[in-house]
């Protein structure tokens, strides 16, 4: 029924009691609107004066005055609906069928449930004058009057059986429904109306909740789009840098190879020139030998023979080669340099990645209720060490009783979060996250199956990601500060070396279904060798 020309929809102009467009709308002190007659009837039928929507009670019954603004809107809306239907007669609702008087052909004004008959104004008169008939139950005329009369006892259905959830007559309560809970239909209707109003309030609240969720989703999509565009721009820049790096390495390699080719050609030319000179000298000697072999001057032959009896002094060319394998070495060296350049570019990728995830930094504080009795926590809840003795602490389900570890106070069940922990000076430590329901009693095996996503250090230099199975980690240098990042929806837990801006390890493809808590284990003191504390440090966004 809503009109496109109306500023408000029909739903906004409906009384929640009669579910029709407002007639003489009034406003309660709590701000809700109702038809004046509907609200008065509601208050008249109740011992308490309260708002049918929000249930706010009023110590005194408020004086009701028509809200002229809303009344004007309702009138305008009704008028627009009338205009609409007048312009589209084919869509007009059919007029209700007239109910005729059972005693004549006049239109009935009332139906009597006791008589089972409908009457016009004239034939209804006895029901207004005769004392016995005055007790009959009258109602607005209906065509299907038999639906309002008990078919078994032919009595008005004026009661409601709450056990069977059906309308009954007085005789029914004395037979089939004798032991059942029955109330007058009016009372049940009042309860049903109250429940309808309550349900409507709940439905409206559900609508508002869902509208709010839609806005949240739209906002998330907007933020995600903005973040995605930034990430795409960063990624494109990284790949452009990588392409420039590859193209530069390729150009340098081709230049070196070209230079080596030219050098080889120059060397070959020198070798050929030297060989040609030796050939010229050998040919000259060959000519002299040829002439000497035919000379008749024996004395001359004997004189020059010592100088011509052996070949002239020349270079031994057997081992002389043009260097062709240098190009392979050049390629290998260029690829090695390219790999080093790409590694540097990858470091810039991690730098961009860390700047992005550090935007999700959260304030983490250690939870003393979960701390093992041997652990000593700082007053601000930011540092933890393992003491030499166990304190006498109250036992509770949250406390670890065998492994010297502690969780953060704050749990996270959605979104992303990041925190950093200083580990410098320690020879052993565990860091990561755990799910809320992990077993905290007895020996603990750290792995995702048991609800732990962690990395650890042992014996000062042995790093390991406690995956399934565990993964030994080869780090270029010992981290002084470790960053832990979690993306709940993506099922991702990543660890970073904060100081050198490098990636340590990531658990991927995980499925989180409950709260995750930061997990810390400073490990045993080890006679003072591992006495340095684990320290939760503020995240420096400017690094």
């Amino acid at each position: 029924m809503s009109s496109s020309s109306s500023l408000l929809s029909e739903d906004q102009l409906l009384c929640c009691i009669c579910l029709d467009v407002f007639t003489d709308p009034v406003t309660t002190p709590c701000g809700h609107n109702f038809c004046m007659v509907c609200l008065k009837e509601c208050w008249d039928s109740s011992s308490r004066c309260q708002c049918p929507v929000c249930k706010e009670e009023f110590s005194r019954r408020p004086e009701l005055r028509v809200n002229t603004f809303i009344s004007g809107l309702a009138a305008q809306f009704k008028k627009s609906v009338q205009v609409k239907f007048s312009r589209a007669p084919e869509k007009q609702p059919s007029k209700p069928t007239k109910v005729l008087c059972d005693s004549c052909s006049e239109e009935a004004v009332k139906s009597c449930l006791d008589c089972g008959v409908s009457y016009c104004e004239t034939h209804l008169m006895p029901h207004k004058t005769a004392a016995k008939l005055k007790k009959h139950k009258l109602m607005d005329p209906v065509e299907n009057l038999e639906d309002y009369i008990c078919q078994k006892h032919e009595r008005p259905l004026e009661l409601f059986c709450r056990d069977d959830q059906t309308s009954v007559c007085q005789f029914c309560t004395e037979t089939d429904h004798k032991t059942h809970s029955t109330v007058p239909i009016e009372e049940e209707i009042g309860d049903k109306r109250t429940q309808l109003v309550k349900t409507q309030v709940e439905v409206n609240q559900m609508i508002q909740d869902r509208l709010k969720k839609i806005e949240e989703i739209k906002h998330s999509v907007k933020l995600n789009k903005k973040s995605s565009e930034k990430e795409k721009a960063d990624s494109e820049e990284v790949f452009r840098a990588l392409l420039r790096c590859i193209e530069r390495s390729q150009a340098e390699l081709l230049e070196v190879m070209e230079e080596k080719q030219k050098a080889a050609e120059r060397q070959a030319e020198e070798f050929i020139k030297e060989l040609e000179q030796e050939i010229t000298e050998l040919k000259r000697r060959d000519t002299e030998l040829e002439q000497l072999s035919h000379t008749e001057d024996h004395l001359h032959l004997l004189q020059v023979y010592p100088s011509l009896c052996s070949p002239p002094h020349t270079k031994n060319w057997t081992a002389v080669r043009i260097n062709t394998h240098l190009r392979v070495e050049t390629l290998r060296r260029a690829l090695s340099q390219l790999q080093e350049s790409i590694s540097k570019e990858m470091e810039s990728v991690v730098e961009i990645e860390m700047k992005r995830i550090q935007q999700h930094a959260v304030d983490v504080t250690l939870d003393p209720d979960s701390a093992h009795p041997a652990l000593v926590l700082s007053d601000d809840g930011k540092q933890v060490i393992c003491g030499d003795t166990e304190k006498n602490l109250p036992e509770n389900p949250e406390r670890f009783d065998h492994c010297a570890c502690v969780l953060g106070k704050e749990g996270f069940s959605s979104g992303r979060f990041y925190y950093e922990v200083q580990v410098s000076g320690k020879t052993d430590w565990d860091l990561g996250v755990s799910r809320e329901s992990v077993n905290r009693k007895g020996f603990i095996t750290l792995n995702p199956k048991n609800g732990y996503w962690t990395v650890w250090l042992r014996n000062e230099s042995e790093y390991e990601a406690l995956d399934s199975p565990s993964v030994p980690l080869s780090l270029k240098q010992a981290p002084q500060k470790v960053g832990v990042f979690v993306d709940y929806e993506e099922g991702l837990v990543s660890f970073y070396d904060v100081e050198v801006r490098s990636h340590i390890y990531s658990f991927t493809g995980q499925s989180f279904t409950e709260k995750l808590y930061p997990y810390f284990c400073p490990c045993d003191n080890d006679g003072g060798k591992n006495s340095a504390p684990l320290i939760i440090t503020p995240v420096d966004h400017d690094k």
Side-chain angles (χ1 to χ4, degrees):
M1 288 178 60
S2 63
S3 170
S4 60
S5 62
S6 178
L7 293 176
L8 295 175
S9 68
E10 181 180 5
D11 291 342
Q12 294 171 292
L13 294 171
L14 290 183
C15 170
C16 65
I17 298 178
C18 67
L19 303 180
D20 204 351
V21 178
F22 289 123
T23 301
D24 295 333
V26 293
T27 304
T28 59
C30 56
H32 295 106
N33 302 301
F34 309 91
C35 296
M36 179 180 285
V37 173
C38 295
L39 187 57
K40 282 184 175 180
E41 288 180 354
C42 180
W43 284 349
D44 290 342
S45 63
S46 175
S47 59
R48 292 183 295 179
C49 184
Q50 62 178 8
C51 173
V53 175
C54 66
K55 305 303 181 185
E56 180 179 343
E57 291 197 26
F58 311 114
S59 57
R60 290 190 305 173
R61 185 162 175 166
E63 182 181 352
L64 299 176
R65 294 183 180 178
V66 175
N67 187 318
T68 56
F69 177 72
I70 298 178
S71 179
L73 290 176
Q76 183 182 0
F77 177 79
K78 290 177 180 178
K79 183 178 179 180
S80 68
V81 171
Q82 291 173 354
V83 171
K84 177 181 178 182
F85 281 111
S86 67
R87 292 176 179 173
E90 69 278 5
K91 295 184 179 179
Q92 288 185 9
S94 59
K95 293 182 179 179
T97 306
K98 285 185 179 181
V99 178
L100 300 179
C101 176
D102 290 313
S103 301
C104 66
S105 59
E106 293 293 322
E107 184 177 352
V109 294
K110 290 291 181 183
S111 294
C112 178
L113 294 177
D114 292 273
C115 300
V117 176
S118 297
Y119 298 103
C120 65
E121 191 66 48
T122 301
H123 291 100
L124 182 65
M125 193 57 65
H127 281 75
K128 296 181 178 181
T129 57
K132 185 176 180 180
L133 294 180
K134 283 183 178 181
K135 297 179 181 180
H136 285 195
K137 190 170 184 64
L138 300 176
M139 62 179 294
D140 291 334
V142 291
E143 193 174 32
N144 54 335
L145 190 56
E146 63 275 6
D147 292 343
Y148 297 82
I149 299 174
C150 177
Q151 299 301 308
K152 184 176 182 179
H153 302 109
E154 297 184 351
R155 301 293 296 169
L157 296 171
E158 54 188 357
L159 299 170
F160 186 81
C161 176
R162 287 178 170 173
D163 291 353
D164 294 337
Q165 291 293 298
T166 186
S167 299
V168 297
C169 70
Q170 184 63 44
F171 287 171
C172 290
T173 63
E174 299 171 2
T175 55
D176 296 343
H177 299 266
K178 186 175 183 179
T179 60
H180 294 184
S181 172
T182 57
V183 295
I185 279 185
E186 291 79 3
E187 181 180 337
E188 184 65 22
I189 290 299
D191 292 345
K192 288 288 190 292
R193 284 185 182 277
T194 302
Q195 186 59 42
L196 282 174
V197 172
K198 181 180 178 182
T199 302
Q200 186 181 17
V201 172
E202 292 175 355
V203 169
N204 286 331
Q205 186 59 50
M206 291 172 68
I207 291 172
Q208 295 304 316
D209 291 343
R210 280 148 183 77
L211 288 173
K212 184 178 179 181
K213 180 55 70 175
I214 288 174
E215 291 304 315
E216 289 178 1
I217 293 172
K218 287 181 178 178
H219 183 62
S220 297
V221 170
K222 187 177 180 180
L223 291 178
N224 186 64
K225 183 179 180 181
K226 185 176 180 181
S227 176
S228 179
E229 288 174 351
K230 179 67 168 61
E231 289 180 12
K232 284 194 291 185
D234 292 340
S235 300
E236 288 174 0
E237 179 56 37
V238 168
F239 277 98
R240 279 196 294 268
L242 289 175
L243 289 174
R244 287 195 299 269
C245 182
I246 292 172
E247 290 169 354
R248 184 171 58 252
S249 296
Q250 182 186 29
E252 291 174 354
L253 173 62
L254 293 176
E255 184 179 352
V256 170
M257 294 179 73
E258 186 69 25
E259 183 58 40
K260 287 185 178 294
Q261 173 64 23
K262 290 179 179 179
E265 290 176 359
R266 288 195 297 271
Q267 186 183 42
E269 289 175 0
E270 292 174 359
F271 286 161
I272 291 171
K273 184 178 181 180
E274 192 174 349
L275 285 167
E276 288 176 344
Q277 290 174 350
E278 290 189 357
I279 290 172
T280 300
E281 179 63 25
L282 290 171
K283 284 183 177 180
R284 187 182 62 78
R285 178 62 61 89
D286 180 63
T287 301
E288 291 178 352
L289 291 173
E290 178 65 25
Q291 293 174 353
L292 188 61
S293 65
H294 295 90
T295 186
E296 295 297 331
D297 187 348
H298 300 142
L299 180 61
H300 175 67
L301 180 106
L302 292 175
Q303 289 175 342
V304 299
Y305 178 79
S307 61
L308 299 176
C309 67
S310 61
H313 177 70
T314 58
K315 181 188 290 187
N316 181 4
W317 292 92
T318 305
V320 175
R321 297 283 187 278
I322 298 298
N323 194 350
T324 58
H325 72 278
L326 289 177
R327 294 174 186 171
V328 177
E329 289 298 328
T330 302
L331 176 61
R332 185 178 293 113
R333 186 160 51 249
L335 290 176
S336 178
Q337 292 173 349
L338 176 60
Q339 185 176 10
E340 185 177 344
S341 299
I342 291 177
S343 295
K344 289 181 179 179
E345 291 296 335
M346 290 304 296
E347 289 176 5
S348 68
V349 173
V350 177
E351 176 73 24
I352 294 171
E353 182 181 359
M354 288 205 65
K355 284 184 178 180
R356 188 177 74 251
I357 66 176
Q358 284 180 330
Q359 301 305 311
H360 301 284
V362 295
D363 183 20
V364 175
T365 306
L366 300 172
D367 180 15
D369 291 336
S370 67
H372 184 275
L375 296 182
V376 180
L377 277 58
S378 62
D379 293 339
D380 62 359
K382 299 295 184 181
Q383 301 186 30
V384 58
I385 60 173
C386 187
D388 296 323
T389 58
E390 294 188 8
K391 298 183 292 293
N392 185 18
L393 297 176
E395 178 58 33
N396 61 61
E398 292 80 20
R399 192 179 306 285
F400 291 91
D401 66 355
H402 182 78
C403 296
C405 47
V406 60
L407 301 182
K409 278 185 180 180
E410 301 80 10
F412 303 88
S413 56
S414 64
R416 303 168 179 174
F417 64 95
Y418 173 82
Y419 61 95
E420 295 177 351
V421 184
Q422 182 176 309
V423 296
S424 57
K426 297 193 66 62
T427 60
D428 302 89
W429 50 258
D430 308 347
L431 285 177
V433 294
S434 76
R435 63 174 179 240
E436 186 174 23
S437 65
V438 292
N439 176 34
R440 309 185 188 195
K441 308 301 178 183
F443 182 77
I444 293 173
T445 301
L446 299 178
N447 59 44
K449 182 179 179 181
N450 294 331
Y452 295 92
W453 292 266
T454 59
V455 296
W456 74 13
L457 166 66
R458 291 294 182 268
N459 302 321
E460 200 170 355
S461 60
E462 298 172 8
Y463 295 91
E464 196 169 342
L466 303 177
D467 209 332
S468 300
S470 59
V471 180
L473 302 175
S474 178
L475 307 183
K476 293 182 178 179
Q477 60 187 64
Q480 303 301 301
K481 187 183 292 185
V482 175
V484 182
F485 172 69
V486 176
D487 188 326
Y488 194 96
E489 281 72 24
E490 287 293 324
L492 172 70
V493 182
S494 295
F495 298 83
Y496 298 87
D497 184 330
V498 177
E499 300 298 330
V500 300
R501 319 296 276 181
S502 65
H503 175 254
I504 296 175
Y505 188 78
S506 285
F507 294 86
T508 58
Q510 307 301 305
S511 179
F512 303 132
T513 57
E514 55 184 275
K515 276 189 177 182
L516 297 179
Y517 288 82
Y519 170 88
F520 309 83
C521 178
C523 297
D524 294 338
N525 194 305
D526 194 19
K529 294 180 181 178
N530 191 39
S531 60
L534 288 177
I535 305 174
I536 303 170
T537 59
V539 175
D540 185 358
H541 296 280
D542 298 327
K543 262 199 168 183

